[in-house]
Amino acid sequence: MTNLQQLDAYFTEHRETHLNELNEFLRIPSISSLSEHKGDIQNAAEWLANAFKKLNLENISITQTAGHPVVYADWLHAEDKPTILFYGHYDVQPVDPLNLWDSEPFNPTIRDNKLFARGASDDKGQVFMHLKMIEALFATTGTLPVNVKFIYEGEEEIGSPNLPAYVEEHKEKLAADLILISDTGLYGPGKPAVCYGLRGLTGIQIDVRGAKGDLHSGLYGGGVQNAIHALADILASFRDEHGTIQVEGFYDKVLPLTEEEREAYRALGFDEESVKEEVCVKELFGEAGYSYLERTWARPTLEINGVFGGFSGEGIKTVLPAEAGAKITCRLVPNQEPDEIVALLKAHIEKHKPTGVEVTISEFDKGRPFLTPFDHPLIQAAGRSYEKVYNVPTAYTRGGGSIPIVAAFDEILELPVVLMGFGLSSENFHAPNEHFHLENFDKGLRVLSDYLFEVAELQK
């Protein structure tokens, strides 16, 4: 029997036991954003530490941070073999509104081969797969093909505020050859995907101030600057009619797509018409010369997220607003630095600021973009493992969103990051009735196990 055949037999035999154990984990209401669940967060961390002990892993620790604990374990006895650092999170989102759930969020329920519970897909179910993969490898081969380290946190759903400091402090302990994360999704049902890049993020708030207070438009209109008009001029200057960003220097460092990447995206056969139907628009919009996938995965953006000021109540109020504001965010792509982009935005605003107002800029949190090269051997190896189990070609994708801690890992540890997720976009993570398709739970166990052998082979 091949390794994959042995593993398949083991996972089949122990499936019910594994699901019962996963249910134990899911019953812990480890909501990181609500202080009343601090004890539950601690219980979830201890559950993981105990699971590591049952696997006979070593150097197990629960490290308290300024927020919630970080759980660590390792096994380092595969001589001259690579080391994989596994990352995941054991905290979950709140469950409100509770009345929209069809079953109790912390009482796991299986319906139509889907496991319903908060955290089932994001991310307890996928973290649990890491544990059972290790169990199966020990049970079927008596050892592991590579060295492994695990770092699981309890603050991902609140932005991982304390994890970068932990990683910086423990750089030597966390040293590895790659980081593997299962907190992303497939391209679609039955369509595996390796996500090899994520966009970064930066944002600002623009506050425009004119007169000392709102003015009567009959007495002052035409003679004093209107703060909303001034703000509108600034906002209009950011992009042209095609959505191309007009901020000087904004595109200077953008890493262009390779022709191999563009061909891989074309091969996915993405249906842009389906997007129109999904969001109920007649036309898509964006930078000329790029497909929808290229615009949303690999090109930077500048979006106005909110505008405020003046009178918006019932009827009309004839005033010149003294204050107006807007919130702006930019999705960034590889080689763009958040601080540099903010500096360019500030320079652009100063250049386009109308007379008669003062403008104040406030900065928001920043996250760097991340990219492991499309043709990296570790990325291609992940694709092979998916294909063995799903029996279809693997899609190589970038994520349009941002996971700041991934960029932090990339920056601090300077390791390739491989995102091997098994969720589906339809699984309601962060919403009522979150669930995990057990077909992908089953296949994911086999994919992850095979990937360890693929990584070991690369070392030869």
Side-chain angles (χ1 to χ4, degrees):
M1 294 177 70
T2 66
N3 288 322
L4 197 52
Q5 288 171 329
Q6 286 181 302
L7 289 161
D8 181 71
Y10 183 86
F11 288 130
T12 300
E13 180 183 353
H14 293 84
R15 186 177 190 263
E16 185 174 351
T17 300
H18 290 167
L19 288 177
N20 287 336
E21 292 173 359
L22 174 55
N23 288 346
E24 290 178 11
F25 193 25
L26 292 171
R27 287 191 185 101
I28 304 171
S30 49
I31 302 172
S32 53
S33 62
L34 301 178
S35 58
E36 61 262 35
H37 287 282
K38 187 170 184 177
D40 296 312
I41 286 281
Q42 185 67 33
N43 289 341
E46 291 173 0
W47 191 96
L48 280 170
N50 287 330
F52 286 143
K53 290 176 185 175
K54 292 175 183 176
L55 294 173
N56 293 318
L57 299 186
E58 300 168 343
N59 299 309
I60 301 165
S61 64
I62 299 176
T63 302
Q64 301 299 327
T65 70
H68 300 314
V70 174
V71 186
Y72 173 87
D74 62 35
W75 184 90
L76 305 173
H77 301 290
E79 190 174 351
D80 298 325
K81 290 295 183 182
T83 298
I84 299 178
L85 173 62
F86 291 85
Y87 163 82
H89 65 93
Y90 61 87
D91 65 320
V92 299
Q93 283 278 330
V95 298
D96 310 273
L98 190 58
N99 65 298
L100 295 183
W101 286 80
D102 295 329
S103 54
E104 293 292 326
F106 295 109
N107 183 22
T109 305
I110 295 176
R111 300 191 298 272
D112 300 323
N113 205 33
K114 303 170 190 173
L115 178 59
F116 287 80
R118 174 59 87 227
S121 179
D122 181 22
D123 182 36
K124 285 182 176 178
Q126 301 199 58
V127 161
F128 183 79
M129 290 161 62
H130 295 169
L131 306 180
K132 295 300 107 177
M133 167 198 65
I134 298 299
E135 176 189 299
L137 288 167
F138 275 133
T140 57
T141 69
T143 187
L144 300 180
V146 296
N147 300 293
V148 295
K149 297 179 179 181
F150 296 87
I151 175 174
Y152 293 144
E153 67 158 323
E155 297 186 324
E156 194 274 346
E157 299 292 6
I158 54 174
S160 304
N162 294 294
L163 191 60
Y166 175 93
V167 174
E168 190 72 57
E169 184 180 348
H170 297 88
K171 281 174 66 172
E172 189 172 329
K173 181 169 79 171
L174 298 175
D177 294 286
L178 75 145
I179 300 168
L180 193 150
I181 300 173
S182 299
D183 193 16
T184 50
L186 305 175
Y187 183 62
K191 298 178 181 179
V194 179
C195 180
Y196 65 95
L198 296 168
R199 291 195 289 191
L201 180 69
T202 193
I204 62 171
Q205 178 170 314
I206 305 170
D207 289 292
V208 176
R209 177 82 196 195
K212 64 179 182 179
D214 291 353
L215 302 176
H216 190 290
S217 66
L219 297 176
Y220 296 97
V224 176
Q225 180 66 274
N226 181 316
I228 292 181
H229 280 295
L231 175 65
D233 288 345
I234 295 171
L235 298 182
S237 73
F238 281 131
R239 306 195 316 188
D240 68 12
E241 67 273 20
H242 305 294
T244 303
I245 297 163
Q246 302 299 294
V247 175
E248 186 175 352
F250 190 88
Y251 293 106
D252 285 359
K253 293 187 177 180
V254 169
L255 184 69
L257 281 160
T258 66
E259 186 52 42
E260 289 78 11
E261 288 177 292
R262 302 191 81 172
E263 179 56 39
Y265 297 172
R266 287 191 287 268
L268 294 174
F270 183 78
D271 181 11
E272 294 193 359
E273 290 298 319
S274 67
V275 179
K276 297 179 188 178
E277 294 177 10
E278 177 187 350
V279 301
C280 298
V281 297
K282 293 182 179 180
E283 298 294 337
L284 297 179
F285 174 82
E287 204 179 350
Y290 296 94
S291 69
Y292 178 83
L293 289 184
E294 291 168 346
R295 292 172 188 161
T296 57
W297 286 357
R299 296 296 294 173
T301 67
L302 187 156
E303 299 289 351
I304 301 166
N305 307 121
V307 178
F308 45 93
F311 176 74
S312 58
E314 185 177 355
I316 193 167
K317 186 178 182 182
T318 54
V319 296
L320 272 64
E323 297 178 332
K327 296 181 186 291
I328 308 290
T329 54
C330 298
R331 297 288 178 174
L332 308 180
V333 297
N335 290 358
Q336 287 186 305
E337 291 292 336
D339 288 332
E340 292 179 4
I341 294 300
V342 168
L344 293 175
L345 293 176
K346 288 181 176 179
H348 179 90
I349 292 167
E350 182 62 28
K351 180 179 178 181
H352 292 81
K353 180 180 73 175
T355 58
V357 294
E358 294 299 322
V359 178
T360 303
I361 308 297
S362 304
E363 300 181 23
F364 295 130
D365 292 344
K366 305 177 181 73
R368 293 175 63 251
F370 137 78
L371 182 73
T372 296
F374 167 73
D375 57 356
H376 194 290
L378 291 168
I379 296 291
Q380 296 298 314
R384 291 194 296 272
S385 291
Y386 274 115
E387 289 175 13
K388 289 178 191 175
V389 177
Y390 280 85
N391 295 312
V392 296
T394 299
Y396 295 92
T397 68
R398 294 199 202 181
S402 307
I403 307 178
I405 194 58
V406 174
F409 276 134
D410 182 41
E411 182 178 8
I412 298 170
L413 299 179
E414 299 181 334
L415 298 176
V417 181
V418 180
L419 300 171
M420 296 181 70
F422 300 90
L424 289 171
S425 60
S426 61
E427 288 179 337
N428 289 3
F429 33 84
H430 295 205
N433 297 313
E434 178 181 350
H435 57 279
F436 193 14
H437 284 70
L438 292 180
E439 174 190 3
N440 295 320
F441 172 79
D442 295 330
K443 289 182 176 179
L445 288 166
R446 292 152 174 83
V447 171
L448 290 167
S449 302
D450 184 78
Y451 185 60
L452 268 62
F453 290 105
E454 284 279 355
V455 173
E457 286 294 313
L458 291 175
Q459 191 74 6
K460 288 185 177 179

